[in-house]
Amino acid sequence: MNTRTRVLTGTALAVALGAGTFGAVSASATPAADAAPVAAEVAAKKDGPSDKNFTTTTHLTVDAATRAAQAALQAAQAENQKVTVAVVDRNGNTIVTLRGDGAGPQSYESAQRKAFTAVSWNAPTSVLVGRLAQTPNLKDIPGTLFLGGGTPVQANGAPVAGIGVAGAPSGDLDEKFAKAGVDALGK
């Protein structure tokens, strides 16, 4: 290659590099007002309904869980029953537990297990007791208790929490009080 070709090639290369640098500087020097719509559009695409990597779920707040537990406990106290009330989230984690005055020591764990069972199967535990006849090994699932007194809390037909009551002389009474807790959430 002769000197003239080298100089022309070098000059062309320098011009191309210079134009690229100038273009990059110019591109990054756009005003923030122009960038905001682009950033919003990118965020909308990323977080929009077309993104199938995420889901939205409904959860019971601590305030709502406490209100439900208090309503169940008050319903039991109105009938002179000494019970414990537990409210668990969709995953069976305890949100709140209220042990009424004079409730037996076994009622604490029983209430939690009834709530867990109700939310796990999205059905009152009194209904689930009937399923034990066909599948007796259901009772062997850790954390469950197939006795009346647990009821699910639903949002749009899906379970979002469970309320369990234990300590009354019958599962029917326990479940009646648990339903009072669910009813308090509709107010």
Side-chain angles (χ1 to χ4, degrees), residues 71-125:
L73 188 59
Q74 288 170 351
Q77 289 170 340
E79 295 192 27
N80 226 12
Q81 298 300 316
K82 297 171 171 69
V83 300
T84 297
V85 181
V87 181
V88 300
D89 66 12
R90 174 63 185 110
N91 298 318
N93 299 310
T94 302
I95 302 172
V96 65
T97 303
L98 297 178
R99 184 173 174 269
D101 294 336
Q106 78 289 356
S107 67
Y108 190 89
E109 182 180 349
S110 295
Q112 288 178 329
R113 291 174 60 191
K114 288 178 183 184
F116 174 82
T117 305
V119 75
S120 295
W121 277 273
N122 193 24
T125 53

Side-chain angles (χ1 to χ4, degrees), residues 23 38 46 73 84 89-90 94 144 147 164 166 168 171-172 174:
V38 173
K46 183 177 181 181
L73 188 59
T84 297
D89 66 12
R90 174 63 185 110
T94 302
T144 60
L147 296 174
D172 291 342
D174 285 340

Side-chain angles (χ1 to χ4, degrees), residues 45-56:
K45 286 181 183 176
K46 183 177 181 181
D47 296 333
S50 64
D51 190 349
K52 296 179 183 177
N53 293 319
F54 299 96
T55 185
T56 302

